Structure formats: structure tokens, C-alpha cells
């Protein structure tokens, strides 16, 4: 995760303002006043830092391997994001300091640099084939060796992750159900995929008693992590440039290893499935080695904004042939339209007597050249139309085949909670951990605590020990991580999934109460009474 | 339209047929069933248990059960909020030779509904 090839490497010069801020425990680059985009990035960075604190504590409190795997994954994603945002902030600050500002305003003429429009990039239906060899069957003496894997995806400074998936030798592919959307990508985007894996079975010594550990970590995390950061800063200063390593509490917990990676660009975009090469990291003797075939299959779609958002409006009177009002995109999507063969000319007043402010678009359709003449309302409107058309043509030249047709992109569905593991039975039967929700809640609660670190175990710790479930199951409405918890919640949301709720075709004892248990039902109506579309109306003789 | 009429009580004495105790009718419905396919219900969202067939000369017919009756209770057990299978099981307990049903009929249902609305 902290490889030196990571794009978001942050270098901190000794004695720099950034180092000073860092030492004080504040990652705020607020030497100059921040433009709005930087404020937004700063806010995201602060959020990730809080999430990270929560993830550390959650990890320390885990008593079971599977919980620890999820918590470690969350922690690693937080770490990656923190590094990425810090790198981006530093880059912007450097650009600002060096005086690179935006385009100089000009009253007339086209802008000096034309930048292409942004777009949405969505990767979905990711499938990574595996290639098990016969030796795999003999290696483990009948035990099913399992791995926990997930993908980290980075585009620009945005990092997203897939859900964690369990893999064993009965699977032929690793499949991820998520579709991951990046909302502001340029045509020169680089989407980096990294596949991380960890062994599900314990590698070595077990962690100590959760309670003791949590107490130790809660009380000492601040000081020790601060010490380590300072130490790494000192070494960074002396060696010149090395990345800041945010400390990870490696207390016998699972370790994820980079298994493979690849980078996808505009050329890889296609409105359908495509197979790309994966660069494998490591070899057979590497930890958590998985026999990857070496490819990744996915659908990488791109929707440039020039195809989906109106950039110009108004009225254009059509002289020659009928057109829709959404003129530019209509023209450009006509069959036979060739960008290179298009010429746009503004009509001069004297040329077209009685037809001022005209605009003609010529295009070659096969052997014919067709010219469409359009009339704008005013000179200013004409200018705007010309500008819009030039921008459109430029965007299309940059986004290339993404402008041939609008690729369908579905909004990512909300992340499902981690599934119960069949091997262990109902792991999540007693409690459900939705890492994003819960870590946010933990961190928010922690953030509200001021003053010294807590010496006594926090109340939520009871969730991970053998103490009885806490009262007051909260309704599991989806909580946005940024929302503030204004009232103190009894931390502990033993949401019981009705995993052992008996479906209708199972025999039920007469004594069993049949009324649905309200505390066990989620707002999504899980359970036996709403199993999807009901098609039958059975009749039975008695 | 008509004065309110209470639900009917129907006492069925099961008939022994070999190893089985039968009542001589069929049921449809249940909270796990699609209520829109119920031909007997007034309200097509009603997921209750309905009598869909009555065997000629069987114990249910003798007891006065009619096709289209909605079964509200069996021996005191509620039948308005049960699955199809639960309903069936409640009626076919081997330990019970007599079942006392509380049923409502279409015309009665309408009357009861309207009396509740007014």
C-alpha cells in the first residue's frame, strides 16, 4: 500500500511549513487562503483522518479474523486516500506558489488554451480469472485455503474500493459486483487498479485480548503515532525525499499484499466487455499469492459531459434543412458525420443580405458536401454558438470514440453489508458491522470527545467481546459518514439479520410465534415475509 | 345495507381416512401468497386464508362451511396473519379431532366493513 511508486507520494522538506503543520498534528495547508476546491479537499482529508482513527480502534478491538480483515481493509483505504489528498493539496499549493494561475481574461478572440470537458468514467463487472494448478489441492491437506481480496481504484486524487471478496480454489474467477464511478475525469485519465489480497487463516500468533489491546492503543495511539511520524519526518529530512509512512498498528492483524495492478486509459474505454492485461506483483513464494491468470475483464464506460449536458441554448433559425434545437450534438451524432471534415464559418453581414448573424456548418457525407446555414438572434448569440461549437468539436477530438454514442452508466448501488461467511455459520448473526457507517460513528463520537485520551475502554468495545448485546437496537437507516450525531447514542447496534428466520416451506412448530419481530427487521424488509415478487396463490386440501 | 352480522362459528369433526384425519375442504391464501389471484376476496390485497373448495358430503360441508369463507381463527389461533403452510398445519394437527373455525362470509364481510366505515 505504501509503495514508493504510488502516485500520491508526498515529500516533505525539513523545516518546511508543511512539516511544521504536520508536527503540530494538523494537516492543514492554510498558509494562503484556500480556494473553494481546496477547502473541499481539505474537508475530505480531515474526514479521512477521522475515519482512519476509527478504523485503527475498530481493528484493535476485533477479536475475529474476518472482522479484522474488513477493518484492515478500511484502514488501508483511508491511508491511501490520505496520502492521495495530501499529495494533491501539496501539488496545488506548489502551483499556486509558483504563480500558475488560470487563463488570462481576454475580451476578444478564442482563449489561449482550450481545455476539454470532463466526463464520468465508470468501471463495472470486474472479473479476474484464476488458474488453479493441481498442486493446490495437495498443498493444504484438505483444508480450504482462503483469501480475502479487494480492488483499489484510483483516478486522479480520487480513490475508491470494491467490497472484499473471499476466494478459494473452488472459484474460477474473482468477481466484483460493484460498479465504481468517477465523476470528474478528463480524457487523459489514468485509472489505476490494484488488487490486494490477504490470507483468511491466521498467519501467526494471535492478537492479545481485545480489551487490553484496545485500552493500550486508545491511550497511546496519539503519542506513539506522533512519535513515529516525527521519526519518519526526521529521517525524511536527512535523506532528502522519502514518502511519509502513516503508521499502521500491525498487532498480529491480517496483512494485505499487492497481488496485481494495471492502468486503464481512454483507449481501454468500450461500450461492452473487454479484457485487459494485469501486471502481476510477486511470485509463487510471495505471501498471499493467488494464481492469477493475468487478465482482468471489465466494462469501462465513459460519458463525456459534452454528450450528456447541454452546453449552449437558445434559438437558431434553420435556413436550409430542419434541425432540432439541440443543434450541435444532433449534428455531430448524425451518421456519416466526420469531425475532420467539418468546417464552421460565420456569415458576414454583407454576405447574407437580410440574413444577419448566420453560421454555416459544412460537412462531407460520403461524396457530397452538405452545408447547413443557421441564423442566430444577435451577434452575441452567434458568437456564443460559434464558441460552443468549437468547444464541442474540441471535446470530441479529445474524447474520441467515447462520443460515438452515449454509453450507459448506472449509478452505483449502495454497498451491501459484509456477507456472512458460510464456513463460520452466522458470523454476523450477533452483530452486523457496516464499516463505513460504523467507523464514521466511532470517529464522530471520538471527535466529540475533547481532552485527554480515554483510559477506560469505550462503550462500543463491548460489541466485540462476549458481553451480552447492548440494548436499543438503532434503526439501520443509512447514515452518510459526514453527518453529525447530535445525540449520544448508546454505541452498539446489534442488528440481527434474520439469518435463521425460517422460510415458509420449512416446518414450523405450532408454538412458535409468527408475528414479525420489529427489532429484527430492517427498513429494507429483509426476511421471510417480503421475499420479492409473489407469484403463487397455492391451494391445499385439508 | 343490512344490519351488522357477526362472524360465523363452524365446528368441524374430522373424518378418519386410513392414517389421516381430513376435514374435506381446501384453503388458499397466506401472507406469502399473491393476494391478487384470490378469486373470493373483496379486497385484492387481503392475504387471509379462504376456503376454495368444499368436498361434497365431507365433514366441512356437514358443519356448514362454504366456499369463499374467510377463516379468521382455528381453535383460537389467528389465521389472518399466517403463511399458507402455517394455516395448513393449524388445521391438520393429528392431536385434534375437532376444529372450531371462526369464519366470515362475503355478504357478512361487506356488512361488517360498511358498519365499520359509517
Amino acid at each position: 500500500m505504501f509503495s514508493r511508486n504510488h502516485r500520491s507520494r508526498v515529500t516533505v522538506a525539513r523545516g518546511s511549513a508543511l512539516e511544521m503543520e504536520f508536527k503540530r498534528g494538523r494537516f492543514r495547508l492554510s498558509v494562503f487562503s484556500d480556494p473553494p476546491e481546496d477547502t473541499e479537499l481539505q474537508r475530505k482529508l480531515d474526514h479521512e483522518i477521522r475515519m482512519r482513527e476509527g478504523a485503527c480502534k475498530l481493528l484493535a478491538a476485533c477479536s475475529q479474523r474476518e472482522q479484522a480483515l474488513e477493518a484492515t481493509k478500511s484502514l488501508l483505504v483511508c491511508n491511501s486516500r490520505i496520502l492521495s489528498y495530501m499529495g494533491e493539496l501539496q501539488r496545488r499549493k506548489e502551483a499556486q506558489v509558483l504563480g500558475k494561475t488560470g487563463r488570462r481574461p481576454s475580451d476578444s478572440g478564442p482563449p489561449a488554451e482550450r481545455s476539454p470537458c470532463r466526463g464520468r468514467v465508470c468501471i463495472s463487472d470486474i472479473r479476474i480469472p484464476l488458474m488453479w494448478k493441481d498442486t493446490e489441492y495437495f498443498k493444504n491437506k484438505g483444508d480450504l485455503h482462503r483469501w480475502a481480496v479487494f480492488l483499489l481504484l484510483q483516478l486522479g486524487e480520487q480513490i475508491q474500493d470494491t467490497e472484499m471478496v473471499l476466494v478459494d480454489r473452488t472459484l474460477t474467477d474473482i468477481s466484483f459486483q460493484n460498479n465504481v464511478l468517477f465523476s470528474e475525469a478528463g480524457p487523459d485519465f489514468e485509472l489505476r487498479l490494484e488488487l490486494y489480497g490477504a490470507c483468511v487463516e491466521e498467519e501467526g500468533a494471535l492478537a492479545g485480548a481485545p480489551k487490553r489491546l484496545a485500552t493500550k492503543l486508545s491511550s497511546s495511539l496519539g503519542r506513539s503515532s506522533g512519535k513515529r511520524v516525527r521519526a519518519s519526518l526526521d529521517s525524511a529530512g536527512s535523506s532528502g525525499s522519502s514518502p511519509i509512512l502513516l503508521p499502521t498498528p500491525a498487532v498480529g492483524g491480517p496483512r494485505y499484499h499487492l497481488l496485481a495492478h494495471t492502468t486503464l486509459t481512454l483507449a481501454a474505454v468500450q461500450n461492452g466487455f473487454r479484457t485487459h492485461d494485469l501486471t502481476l506483483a510477486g511470485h509463487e513464494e510471495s505471501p498471499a499469492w493467488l494464481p492469477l491468470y493475468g487478465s482482468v475483464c471489465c466494462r469501462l464506460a465513459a460519458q463525456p459531459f459534452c454528450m450528456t449536458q447541454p452546453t449552449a441554448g437558445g434559438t437558431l433559425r434553420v435556413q436550409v434543412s430542419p434541425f432540432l434545437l439541440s443543434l450541435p450534438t444532433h449534428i455531430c451524432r448524425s451518421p456519416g458525420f466526420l469531425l475532420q471534415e467539418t468546417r464552421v464559418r460565420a456569415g458576414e453581414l454583407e454576405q447574407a443580405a437580410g440574413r444577419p448573424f448566420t453560421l454555416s456548418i459544412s460537412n462531407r457525407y460520403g461524396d457530397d458536401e452538405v452545408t447547413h446555414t443557421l441564423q442566430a438572434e444577435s451577434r452575441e448569440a452567434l458568437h456564443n454558438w460559434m464558441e460552443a461549437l468549437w468547444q464541442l468539436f474540441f471535446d470530441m477530438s479529445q474524447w474520441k470514440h467515447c462520443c460515438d454514442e452515449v454509453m450507459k452508466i448506472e449509478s452505483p448501488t449502495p454497498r451491501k453489508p459484509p456477507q456472512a461467511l458460510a464456513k463460520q455459520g452466522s458470523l454476523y448473526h450477533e452483530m452486523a458491522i457496516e464499516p463505513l457507517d460504523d467507523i464514521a460513528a466511532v470517529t464522530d463520537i471520538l471527535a466529540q470527545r475533547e481532552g485527554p485520551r480515554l483510559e477506560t475502554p469505550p462503550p462500543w468495545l463491548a460489541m466485540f467481546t462476549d458481553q451480552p448485546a447492548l440494548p436499543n437496537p438503532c434503526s439501520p437507516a443509512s447514515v452518510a459518514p459526514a453527518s453529525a450525531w447530535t445525540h449520544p447514542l448508546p454505541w452498539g447496534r446489534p442488528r440481527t439479520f434474520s439469518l435463521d428466520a425460517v422460510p415458509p416451506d420449512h416446518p414450523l412448530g405450532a408454538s412458535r410465534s409468527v408475528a414479525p419481530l420489529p427489532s429484527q427487521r430492517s427498513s429494507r424488509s429483509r426476511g421471510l415475509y417480503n421475499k420479492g415478487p409473489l407469484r403463487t396463490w397455492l391451494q391445499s386440501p385439508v | 345495507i343490512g344490519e351488522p352480522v357477526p362472524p360465523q362459528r363452524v365446528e368441524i369433526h374430522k373424518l378418519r381416512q386410513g392414517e389421516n384425519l381430513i376435514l374435506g375442504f381446501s384453503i388458499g391464501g397466506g401472507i406469502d401468497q399473491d393476494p391478487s389471484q384470490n378469486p373470493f376476496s373483496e379486497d385484492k390485497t387481503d392475504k387471509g386464508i379462504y376456503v376454495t373448495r368444499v368436498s361434497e358430503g365431507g365433514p366441512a360441508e356437514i358443519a356448514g362451511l362454504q366456499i369463499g369463507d374467510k377463516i379468521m381463527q382455528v381453535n383460537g389461533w389467528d389465521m389472518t396473519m399466517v403463511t399458507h403452510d402455517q394455516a395448513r398445519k393449524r388445521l391438520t394437527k393429528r392431536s385434534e379431532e375437532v376444529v372450531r373455525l371462526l369464519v366470515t362470509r362475503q355478504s357478512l364481510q361487506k356488512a361488517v366493513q360498511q358498519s365499520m366505515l359509517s
Side-chain angles (χ1 to χ4, degrees):
Chain A
M1 190 66 65
F2 305 112
S3 69
R4 281 154 200 272
N5 297 325
H6 207 284
R7 293 185 84 240
S8 56
R9 176 194 322 193
V10 176
T11 63
V12 178
R14 185 150 200 175
S16 68
L18 176 57
E19 193 203 16
M20 297 301 294
E21 296 284 296
F22 207 95
K23 277 185 176 168
R24 279 189 228 114
R26 282 184 272 119
F27 303 108
R28 197 164 286 276
L29 298 168
S30 52
V31 179
F32 304 102
S33 65
D34 299 325
E37 319 86 57
D38 282 8
T39 314
E40 171 67 20
L41 195 57
Q42 185 68 52
R43 192 190 62 77
K44 282 158 82 166
L45 178 63
D46 291 341
H47 173 70
E48 289 302 322
I49 290 170
R50 281 204 309 278
M51 295 277 285
R52 188 181 173 277
E53 283 176 12
C56 286
K57 292 184 188 289
L58 206 64
L59 178 61
C62 287
S63 56
Q64 298 185 34
R65 182 78 173 176
E66 291 79 8
Q67 296 167 357
L69 282 168
E70 280 288 351
T72 307
K73 169 178 174 275
S74 304
L75 182 60
L76 294 183
V77 174
C78 284
N79 285 342
S80 287
R81 285 185 174 141
I82 289 170
L83 284 177
S84 171
Y85 295 156
M86 286 180 67
E88 177 65 16
L89 274 176
Q90 191 185 21
R91 194 193 63 77
R92 291 183 189 179
K93 207 54 71 176
E94 282 170 4
Q96 196 180 351
V97 165
L98 288 171
K100 285 190 193 146
T101 52
R103 296 202 305 247
R104 279 166 302 178
S106 53
D107 290 306
S108 60
E113 297 165 27
R114 192 181 283 280
S115 56
C117 65
R118 306 284 101 183
R120 299 161 84 208
V121 169
C122 180
I123 182 168
S124 61
D125 305 287
I126 303 170
R127 186 173 58 86
I128 297 174
L130 297 164
M131 194 176 57
W132 300 103
K133 292 194 277 205
D134 290 341
T135 51
E136 179 57 31
Y137 290 89
F138 298 108
K139 224 192 325 187
N140 301 306
K141 303 184 204 58
D143 289 334
L144 195 64
H145 201 202
R146 294 184 306 163
W147 291 258
V149 298
F150 69 95
L151 273 178
L152 210 59
L153 303 110
Q154 178 165 19
L155 196 153
E157 82 268 6
Q158 266 195 24
I159 290 181
Q160 303 210 37
D161 61 318
T162 63
E163 61 195 355
M164 187 185 81
V165 165
L166 290 178
V167 175
D168 57 52
R169 65 168 183 265
T170 64
L171 291 183
T172 55
D173 307 81
I174 305 172
S175 297
F176 295 102
Q177 301 304 316
N178 323 82
N179 56 335
V180 177
L181 178 67
F182 295 93
S183 46
E184 296 267 335
D188 55 347
F189 72 85
E190 286 186 5
L191 173 55
R192 184 173 162 91
L193 262 76
E194 290 182 347
L195 180 71
Y196 287 90
C199 296
V200 174
E201 279 66 46
E202 301 278 353
E203 288 162 4
L206 298 169
K211 227 174 184 171
R212 255 187 293 125
L213 213 52
T215 309
K216 188 173 174 208
L217 277 171
S218 334
S219 57
S220 64
L221 193 59
R223 271 179 275 127
S224 63
S225 64
K227 270 193 197 142
R228 267 178 277 178
V229 167
R230 270 186 285 270
S232 70
L233 274 176
D234 291 344
S235 67
S238 58
S239 66
S241 61
S242 64
I244 290 180
L245 297 179
L246 294 171
T248 311
V251 275
R255 293 192 68 91
Y256 281 97
H257 305 269
L258 178 66
L259 300 178
H261 64 90
T262 187
T263 302
L264 301 175
T265 60
L266 190 71
V269 171
Q270 183 170 299
N271 196 9
F273 297 107
R274 238 176 106 167
T275 304
H276 311 275
D277 288 330
L278 261 185
T279 308
L280 304 184
H283 50 86
E284 269 195 59
E285 305 305 317
S286 311
W289 163 253
L290 255 182
L292 302 169
Y293 182 71
S295 314
V296 54
C297 181
C298 64
R299 178 176 176 267
L300 182 64
Q303 263 185 12
F305 290 148
C306 63
M307 297 292 284
T308 55
Q309 292 175 2
T311 51
T315 313
L316 275 181
R317 291 233 324 264
V318 177
Q319 302 287 305
V320 175
S321 52
F323 268 123
L324 302 175
L325 276 177
S326 57
L327 185 61
T329 47
H330 175 81
I331 291 178
C332 301
R333 287 191 225 167
S334 308
F337 177 82
L338 291 169
L339 191 59
Q340 308 87 308
E341 304 292 324
T342 304
R343 295 192 308 281
V344 179
R345 293 185 303 272
E348 294 300 325
L349 211 63
E350 47 273 18
Q351 252 186 25
R355 296 195 298 174
F357 315 127
T358 58
L359 160 67
S360 51
I361 302 177
S362 307
N363 191 254
R364 190 170 287 280
Y365 290 79
D367 286 335
D368 305 319
E369 174 159 318
V370 181
T371 300
H372 307 291
T373 307
L374 310 134
Q375 184 182 16
E377 304 167 312
S378 64
R379 182 177 298 281
E380 191 188 348
L382 176 67
H383 177 77
N384 290 340
W385 275 107
M386 297 275 294
E387 171 60 28
L389 281 169
W390 283 123
Q391 180 66 43
L392 175 67
F393 295 149
F394 180 72
D395 289 341
M396 291 176 66
S397 72
Q398 296 293 297
W399 281 98
K400 302 185 176 124
H401 55 284
C402 302
C403 299
D404 290 345
E405 53 174 344
V406 180
M407 297 187 204
K408 191 158 178 292
I409 286 181
E410 281 171 13
S411 305
T413 50
R415 189 74 60 87
K416 284 195 288 254
Q419 293 161 6
L421 303 173
K423 190 184 179 194
Q424 293 250 337
S426 50
L427 166 74
Y428 289 102
H429 184 61
E430 280 111 45
M431 73 194 94
I433 301 174
E434 229 158 317
L436 289 177
D437 277 359
D438 291 4
I439 291 177
V442 172
T443 54
D444 282 328
I445 291 171
L446 289 171
Q448 284 163 22
R449 290 179 202 260
E450 287 159 10
R453 298 271 181 184
L454 20 106
E455 297 302 313
T456 56
W460 48 262
L461 193 55
M463 219 164 97
F464 300 99
T465 63
D466 292 331
Q467 290 172 15
L470 297 173
N472 304 336
C474 304
S475 64
S478 61
V479 177
S483 68
W485 294 58
T486 53
H487 55 92
L489 276 172
W491 179 244
R493 287 188 286 173
R495 276 168 288 173
T496 54
F497 291 179
S498 12
L499 287 179
D500 62 349
V502 181
D505 50 342
H506 282 203
L508 276 179
S511 55
R512 191 187 284 240
S513 158
V514 200
L517 304 165
S519 61
Q520 286 190 348
R521 283 239 247 156
S522 81
S523 56
R524 273 168 268 137
S525 300
R526 211 179 289 111
L528 70 154
Y529 303 123
N530 289 297
K531 286 183 68 135
L534 307 168
R535 291 282 130 84
T536 60
W537 202 73
L538 295 175
Q539 296 181 42
S540 303
V542 293
Chain B
I1 303 175
E3 53 292 355
V5 185
Q8 298 269 297
R9 292 189 184 279
V10 177
E11 185 175 293
I12 304 178
H13 295 252
K14 294 184 188 177
L15 179 67
R16 188 167 290 281
Q17 256 189 13
E19 289 242 325
N20 302 320
L21 283 172
I22 63 157
L23 291 88
F25 69 99
S26 295
I27 53 165
I31 53 175
D32 57 333
Q33 302 295 308
D34 178 7
S36 64
Q37 297 179 45
N38 183 346
F40 303 105
S41 56
E42 180 85 355
D43 170 13
K44 289 306 170 196
T45 65
D46 181 359
K47 293 188 174 180
I49 305 297
Y50 281 77
V51 177
T52 60
R53 195 181 64 86
V54 179
S55 301
E56 206 175 302
E61 194 194 41
I62 292 167
L65 195 65
Q66 292 180 17
I67 188 172
D69 284 352
K70 178 179 174 184
I71 304 178
M72 310 292 282
Q73 282 179 21
V74 173
N75 284 353
W77 290 102
D78 171 67
M79 294 283 271
T80 61
M81 198 63 97
V82 293
T83 65
H84 185 86
D85 208 57
Q86 286 164 355
R88 194 182 56 76
K89 294 220 159 88
R90 290 227 171 119
L91 287 160
T92 55
K93 290 190 196 170
R94 287 169 183 269
S95 56
E96 293 172 350
E97 290 207 7
V98 179
V99 285
R100 290 174 185 86
L101 310 186
L102 192 66
V103 305
T104 59
R105 300 221 160 103
Q106 185 78 344
S107 52
L108 290 181
Q109 277 176 10
K110 268 194 201 161
V112 170
Q113 275 167 16
Q114 276 165 1
S115 71
M116 281 163 40
L117 286 171
S118 59

